[in-house]
Amino acid sequence: MAEEESKKVEAESPAEAAKRSLPEPAPPETEAPKDVCEEKPVVPSQPQEYKIDDSKVLAVSDKVSESVEEKASDNSVNRDAVLARVETEKRMSLIKAWEESEKSKADNKAHKKMSAVEAWENRKKASVEAELKKIEEKLEKKKAEYLEKMKNKAALIHKEAEEKRAMIEAKRGEDNLKAEETAAKYRSTGTGPKKLLGCFNT
């Protein structure tokens, strides 16, 4: 404590030390009422030596040191607060940048996967459509083949029917001719047929 006080005393400016060393001006002497007739010569009094009170010097130095310490502590508190605020803002900006980066990564990843799904869907749809077209072409080909077969079959049936009709007509013509010849023979001989129709049999 004594060392601090001595340092504080040394820290005082030379002007303050000079002011303290100078003696305070002596208070004006009050003159006794003079008679008009009598004048006494005024003898200047010897200047008195003033001693510096150490307790006052220490008290003043304590106050100065306390104010300096308060200012220093206020400055350090303000500085610490500013540094803490700057650090917090820096940390928050880093967190925000990281968050935006992560969100951007997530968006890009999702977009990439969506594009992959869309491409997969398009490929599958194209494959199914190509297969369907192939099946349709096969069915059209088979349909044409079956249609051709059916047409050929119908033509063959029609041809067979015509042949059968022709055979029936030919047989009818032959039977008619034979009946006419036999009837002519019966007429010429005057005989009748041995076999009559079933409706005339007795």
Side-chain angles (χ1 to χ4, degrees), residues 1 11 40 42 55 72 98-99 111 129 136 152-153 156 173 183:
M1 184 71 182
K40 291 183 180 177
V42 178
S55 62
W98 177 84
E99 182 184 6
H111 183 69
E129 286 174 1
E136 285 177 353
N152 291 340
K153 213 169 195 180
L156 187 60

Side-chain angles (χ1 to χ4, degrees), residues 23-162:
E24 293 181 5
E29 292 182 2
T30 56
E31 295 179 357
K34 297 178 182 178
D35 291 336
V36 178
C37 305
E38 252 179 61
E39 285 187 9
K40 291 183 180 177
V42 178
V43 179
S45 60
Q46 293 290 330
Q48 298 177 358
E49 291 182 4
Y50 292 96
K51 292 182 179 179
I52 298 172
D53 191 355
D54 290 339
S55 62
K56 291 181 180 178
V57 170
L58 291 174
V60 171
S61 65
D62 286 342
K63 288 179 182 177
V64 170
S65 64
E66 285 175 5
S67 64
V68 169
E69 285 177 2
E70 286 176 3
K71 286 182 181 177
S73 64
D74 289 345
N75 288 340
S76 66
V77 168
N78 289 340
R79 185 169 176 274
D80 291 343
V82 169
L83 287 174
R85 188 170 67 248
V86 168
E87 190 66 28
T88 303
E89 288 175 358
K90 185 179 177 182
R91 187 170 62 251
M92 293 307 244
S93 65
L94 286 173
I95 289 169
K96 188 176 181 182
W98 177 84
E99 182 184 6
E100 288 177 358
S101 173
E102 290 299 312
K103 284 182 178 178
S104 177
K105 283 179 186 176
D107 290 344
N108 291 338
K109 193 174 181 181
H111 183 69
K112 191 175 179 182
K113 285 186 177 181
M114 287 288 197
S115 299
V117 168
E118 190 174 352
W120 174 83
E121 183 185 12
N122 290 338
R123 281 197 308 273
K124 288 293 181 182
K125 279 184 178 179
S127 175
V128 168
E129 286 174 1
E131 191 174 352
L132 181 63
K133 192 173 181 182
K134 195 174 179 181
I135 290 169
E136 285 177 353
E137 287 174 357
K138 275 187 180 180
L139 289 174
E140 287 294 326
K141 190 176 179 182
K142 283 185 178 181
K143 184 181 175 181
E145 288 175 1
Y146 282 128
L147 189 62
E148 187 69 24
K149 282 181 181 179
M150 292 301 112
K151 283 181 180 178
N152 291 340
K153 213 169 195 180
L156 187 60
I157 291 167
H158 182 69
K159 184 181 177 184
E160 288 178 1
E162 288 297 320

Side-chain angles (χ1 to χ4, degrees), residues 179 186 192-202:
Y186 287 140
K194 294 178 181 177
K195 287 185 177 180
L196 296 174
L197 294 175
C199 56
F200 293 110
N201 287 337
T202 57

